[in-house]
PDB file of all heavy atoms in Angstrom:
ATOM      1  N   PRO W 666     -68.389   9.354  60.900  1.00  0.00           N
ATOM      2  CA  PRO W 666     -69.648  10.077  61.201  1.00  0.00           C
ATOM      3  C   PRO W 666     -70.502  10.313  59.957  1.00  0.00           C
ATOM      4  O   PRO W 666     -71.732  10.303  60.037  1.00  0.00           O
ATOM      5  CB  PRO W 666     -69.156  11.392  61.793  1.00  0.00           C
ATOM      6  CG  PRO W 666     -67.822  11.056  62.374  1.00  0.00           C
ATOM      7  CD  PRO W 666     -67.237  10.041  61.444  1.00  0.00           C
ATOM      8  N   LEU W 667     -69.835  10.492  58.808  1.00  0.00           N
ATOM      9  CA  LEU W 667     -70.591  10.678  57.572  1.00  0.00           C
ATOM     10  C   LEU W 667     -71.358   9.413  57.230  1.00  0.00           C
ATOM     11  O   LEU W 667     -72.534   9.459  56.828  1.00  0.00           O
ATOM     12  CB  LEU W 667     -69.632  11.039  56.432  1.00  0.00           C
ATOM     13  CG  LEU W 667     -70.255  11.188  55.033  1.00  0.00           C
ATOM     14  CD1 LEU W 667     -71.257  12.347  55.038  1.00  0.00           C
ATOM     15  CD2 LEU W 667     -69.170  11.441  53.983  1.00  0.00           C
ATOM     16  N   ALA W 668     -70.715   8.253  57.404  1.00  0.00           N
ATOM     17  CA  ALA W 668     -71.392   6.987  57.142  1.00  0.00           C
ATOM     18  C   ALA W 668     -72.550   6.767  58.102  1.00  0.00           C
ATOM     19  O   ALA W 668     -73.642   6.329  57.713  1.00  0.00           O
ATOM     20  CB  ALA W 668     -70.398   5.840  57.245  1.00  0.00           C
ATOM     21  N   LEU W 669     -72.320   7.083  59.384  1.00  0.00           N
ATOM     22  CA  LEU W 669     -73.387   6.929  60.375  1.00  0.00           C
ATOM     23  C   LEU W 669     -74.557   7.864  60.092  1.00  0.00           C
ATOM     24  O   LEU W 669     -75.733   7.493  60.237  1.00  0.00           O
ATOM     25  CB  LEU W 669     -72.833   7.181  61.776  1.00  0.00           C
ATOM     26  CG  LEU W 669     -71.792   6.168  62.272  1.00  0.00           C
ATOM     27  CD1 LEU W 669     -71.238   6.605  63.622  1.00  0.00           C
ATOM     28  CD2 LEU W 669     -72.410   4.777  62.367  1.00  0.00           C
ATOM     29  N   ALA W 670     -74.183   9.105  59.654  1.00  0.00           N
ATOM     30  CA  ALA W 670     -75.249  10.056  59.316  1.00  0.00           C
ATOM     31  C   ALA W 670     -76.057   9.548  58.128  1.00  0.00           C
ATOM     32  O   ALA W 670     -77.297   9.687  58.081  1.00  0.00           O
ATOM     33  CB  ALA W 670     -74.646  11.422  59.004  1.00  0.00           C
ATOM     34  N   GLY W 671     -75.371   8.964  57.153  1.00  0.00           N
ATOM     35  CA  GLY W 671     -76.080   8.409  55.999  1.00  0.00           C
ATOM     36  C   GLY W 671     -77.013   7.277  56.400  1.00  0.00           C
ATOM     37  O   GLY W 671     -78.154   7.178  55.910  1.00  0.00           O
ATOM     38  N   GLU W 672     -76.521   6.415  57.284  1.00  0.00           N
ATOM     39  CA  GLU W 672     -77.357   5.307  57.752  1.00  0.00           C
ATOM     40  C   GLU W 672     -78.584   5.821  58.494  1.00  0.00           C
ATOM     41  O   GLU W 672     -79.706   5.329  58.313  1.00  0.00           O
ATOM     42  CB  GLU W 672     -76.525   4.390  58.649  1.00  0.00           C
ATOM     43  CG  GLU W 672     -77.295   3.171  59.141  1.00  0.00           C
ATOM     44  CD  GLU W 672     -76.495   2.325  60.102  1.00  0.00           C
ATOM     45  OE1 GLU W 672     -75.355   2.712  60.421  1.00  0.00           O
ATOM     46  OE2 GLU W 672     -77.019   1.297  60.548  1.00  0.00           O
ATOM     47  N   PHE W 673     -78.349   6.860  59.354  1.00  0.00           N
ATOM     48  CA  PHE W 673     -79.470   7.432  60.102  1.00  0.00           C
ATOM     49  C   PHE W 673     -80.500   8.029  59.154  1.00  0.00           C
ATOM     50  O   PHE W 673     -81.723   7.862  59.336  1.00  0.00           O
ATOM     51  CB  PHE W 673     -78.935   8.513  61.052  1.00  0.00           C
ATOM     52  CG  PHE W 673     -80.027   9.232  61.803  1.00  0.00           C
ATOM     53  CD1 PHE W 673     -80.598   8.667  62.937  1.00  0.00           C
ATOM     54  CD2 PHE W 673     -80.502  10.477  61.373  1.00  0.00           C
ATOM     55  CE1 PHE W 673     -81.612   9.330  63.623  1.00  0.00           C
ATOM     56  CE2 PHE W 673     -81.503  11.126  62.051  1.00  0.00           C
ATOM     57  CZ  PHE W 673     -82.064  10.572  63.194  1.00  0.00           C
ATOM     58  N   LEU W 674     -80.013   8.740  58.102  1.00  0.00           N
ATOM     59  CA  LEU W 674     -80.917   9.350  57.139  1.00  0.00           C
ATOM     60  C   LEU W 674     -81.732   8.288  56.404  1.00  0.00           C
ATOM     61  O   LEU W 674     -82.949   8.444  56.201  1.00  0.00           O
ATOM     62  CB  LEU W 674     -80.108  10.186  56.140  1.00  0.00           C
ATOM     63  CG  LEU W 674     -80.910  10.916  55.051  1.00  0.00           C
ATOM     64  CD1 LEU W 674     -81.865  11.925  55.687  1.00  0.00           C
ATOM     65  CD2 LEU W 674     -79.978  11.618  54.074  1.00  0.00           C
ATOM     66  N   LEU W 675     -81.089   7.204  56.020  1.00  0.00           N
ATOM     67  CA  LEU W 675     -81.812   6.133  55.307  1.00  0.00           C
ATOM     68  C   LEU W 675     -82.867   5.495  56.212  1.00  0.00           C
ATOM     69  O   LEU W 675     -83.996   5.179  55.762  1.00  0.00           O
ATOM     70  CB  LEU W 675     -80.817   5.080  54.817  1.00  0.00           C
ATOM     71  CG  LEU W 675     -79.908   5.511  53.650  1.00  0.00           C
ATOM     72  CD1 LEU W 675     -78.863   4.449  53.380  1.00  0.00           C
ATOM     73  CD2 LEU W 675     -80.737   5.777  52.398  1.00  0.00           C
ATOM     74  N   ARG W 676     -82.500   5.253  57.463  1.00  0.00           N
ATOM     75  CA  ARG W 676     -83.477   4.654  58.384  1.00  0.00           C
ATOM     76  C   ARG W 676     -84.662   5.585  58.614  1.00  0.00           C
ATOM     77  O   ARG W 676     -85.801   5.131  58.778  1.00  0.00           O
ATOM     78  CB  ARG W 676     -82.799   4.308  59.718  1.00  0.00           C
ATOM     79  CG  ARG W 676     -81.784   3.179  59.588  1.00  0.00           C
ATOM     80  CD  ARG W 676     -81.253   2.766  60.953  1.00  0.00           C
ATOM     81  NE  ARG W 676     -80.249   1.726  60.845  1.00  0.00           N
ATOM     82  CZ  ARG W 676     -80.522   0.422  60.672  1.00  0.00           C
ATOM     83  NH1 ARG W 676     -81.800   0.020  60.594  1.00  0.00           N
ATOM     84  NH2 ARG W 676     -79.552  -0.441  60.576  1.00  0.00           N
ATOM     85  N   TRP W 677     -84.395   6.913  58.618  1.00  0.00           N
ATOM     86  CA  TRP W 677     -85.506   7.871  58.806  1.00  0.00           C
ATOM     87  C   TRP W 677     -86.441   7.863  57.594  1.00  0.00           C
ATOM     88  O   TRP W 677     -87.654   7.924  57.722  1.00  0.00           O
ATOM     89  CB  TRP W 677     -84.917   9.261  59.007  1.00  0.00           C
ATOM     90  CG  TRP W 677     -85.991  10.309  59.233  1.00  0.00           C
ATOM     91  CD1 TRP W 677     -86.704  10.540  60.353  1.00  0.00           C
ATOM     92  CD2 TRP W 677     -86.448  11.225  58.241  1.00  0.00           C
ATOM     93  NE1 TRP W 677     -87.577  11.564  60.161  1.00  0.00           N
ATOM     94  CE2 TRP W 677     -87.453  12.016  58.839  1.00  0.00           C
ATOM     95  CE3 TRP W 677     -86.108  11.457  56.904  1.00  0.00           C
ATOM     96  CZ2 TRP W 677     -88.126  13.022  58.155  1.00  0.00           C
ATOM     97  CZ3 TRP W 677     -86.782  12.464  56.241  1.00  0.00           C
ATOM     98  CH2 TRP W 677     -87.776  13.240  56.852  1.00  0.00           C
ATOM     99  N   ILE W 678     -85.815   7.761  56.387  1.00  0.00           N
ATOM    100  CA  ILE W 678     -86.620   7.749  55.160  1.00  0.00           C
ATOM    101  C   ILE W 678     -87.502   6.498  55.109  1.00  0.00           C
ATOM    102  O   ILE W 678     -88.679   6.555  54.717  1.00  0.00           O
ATOM    103  CB  ILE W 678     -85.703   7.812  53.919  1.00  0.00           C
ATOM    104  CG1 ILE W 678     -85.006   9.187  53.867  1.00  0.00           C
ATOM    105  CG2 ILE W 678     -86.478   7.543  52.627  1.00  0.00           C
ATOM    106  CD1 ILE W 678     -83.970   9.284  52.768  1.00  0.00           C
ATOM    107  N   PHE W 679     -86.921   5.390  55.495  1.00  0.00           N
ATOM    108  CA  PHE W 679     -87.671   4.125  55.422  1.00  0.00           C
ATOM    109  C   PHE W 679     -88.216   3.734  56.799  1.00  0.00           C
ATOM    110  O   PHE W 679     -88.310   2.549  57.125  1.00  0.00           O
ATOM    111  CB  PHE W 679     -86.756   3.009  54.897  1.00  0.00           C
ATOM    112  CG  PHE W 679     -86.328   3.204  53.467  1.00  0.00           C
ATOM    113  CD1 PHE W 679     -85.103   3.748  53.160  1.00  0.00           C
ATOM    114  CD2 PHE W 679     -87.194   2.834  52.426  1.00  0.00           C
ATOM    115  CE1 PHE W 679     -84.718   3.914  51.853  1.00  0.00           C
ATOM    116  CE2 PHE W 679     -86.788   3.008  51.113  1.00  0.00           C
ATOM    117  CZ  PHE W 679     -85.557   3.554  50.804  1.00  0.00           C
ATOM    118  N   ALA W 680     -88.574   4.747  57.597  1.00  0.00           N
ATOM    119  CA  ALA W 680     -89.038   4.459  58.954  1.00  0.00           C
ATOM    120  C   ALA W 680     -90.288   3.570  58.967  1.00  0.00           C
ATOM    121  O   ALA W 680     -90.473   2.748  59.865  1.00  0.00           O
ATOM    122  CB  ALA W 680     -89.317   5.778  59.691  1.00  0.00           C
ATOM    123  N   HIS W 681     -91.176   3.745  57.982  1.00  0.00           N
ATOM    124  CA  HIS W 681     -92.439   3.000  57.974  1.00  0.00           C
ATOM    125  C   HIS W 681     -92.463   1.949  56.884  1.00  0.00           C
ATOM    126  O   HIS W 681     -93.512   1.373  56.586  1.00  0.00           O
ATOM    127  CB  HIS W 681     -93.615   3.958  57.781  1.00  0.00           C
ATOM    128  CG  HIS W 681     -93.658   5.025  58.843  1.00  0.00           C
ATOM    129  ND1 HIS W 681     -93.971   4.758  60.165  1.00  0.00           N
ATOM    130  CD2 HIS W 681     -93.386   6.364  58.785  1.00  0.00           C
ATOM    131  CE1 HIS W 681     -93.914   5.880  60.866  1.00  0.00           C
ATOM    132  NE2 HIS W 681     -93.562   6.879  60.045  1.00  0.00           N
ATOM    133  N   HIS W 682     -91.355   1.743  56.241  1.00  0.00           N
ATOM    134  CA  HIS W 682     -91.286   0.758  55.177  1.00  0.00           C
ATOM    135  C   HIS W 682     -90.011  -0.071  55.340  1.00  0.00           C
ATOM    136  O   HIS W 682     -89.044   0.359  55.952  1.00  0.00           O
ATOM    137  CB  HIS W 682     -91.272   1.434  53.792  1.00  0.00           C
ATOM    138  CG  HIS W 682     -92.467   2.317  53.558  1.00  0.00           C
ATOM    139  ND1 HIS W 682     -93.702   1.831  53.182  1.00  0.00           N
ATOM    140  CD2 HIS W 682     -92.602   3.657  53.668  1.00  0.00           C
ATOM    141  CE1 HIS W 682     -94.557   2.825  53.057  1.00  0.00           C
ATOM    142  NE2 HIS W 682     -93.914   3.964  53.353  1.00  0.00           N
ATOM    143  N   ARG W 683     -90.006  -1.203  54.749  1.00  0.00           N
ATOM    144  CA  ARG W 683     -88.828  -2.061  54.810  1.00  0.00           C
ATOM    145  C   ARG W 683     -87.759  -1.503  53.869  1.00  0.00           C
ATOM    146  O   ARG W 683     -87.998  -1.301  52.682  1.00  0.00           O
ATOM    147  CB  ARG W 683     -89.205  -3.488  54.402  1.00  0.00           C
ATOM    148  CG  ARG W 683     -88.020  -4.454  54.497  1.00  0.00           C
ATOM    149  CD  ARG W 683     -88.489  -5.852  54.108  1.00  0.00           C
ATOM    150  NE  ARG W 683     -87.391  -6.777  54.137  1.00  0.00           N
ATOM    151  CZ  ARG W 683     -86.938  -7.387  55.234  1.00  0.00           C
ATOM    152  NH1 ARG W 683     -87.535  -7.149  56.394  1.00  0.00           N
ATOM    153  NH2 ARG W 683     -85.915  -8.222  55.172  1.00  0.00           N
TER     154      ARG W 683
END
Side-chain angles (χ1 to χ4, degrees):
L667 177 63
L669 294 175
E672 182 184 2
F673 176 81
L674 180 62
L675 289 173
R676 292 186 182 280
W677 181 77
I678 293 174
F679 294 98
H681 303 291
H682 303 280
R683 182 179 178 82

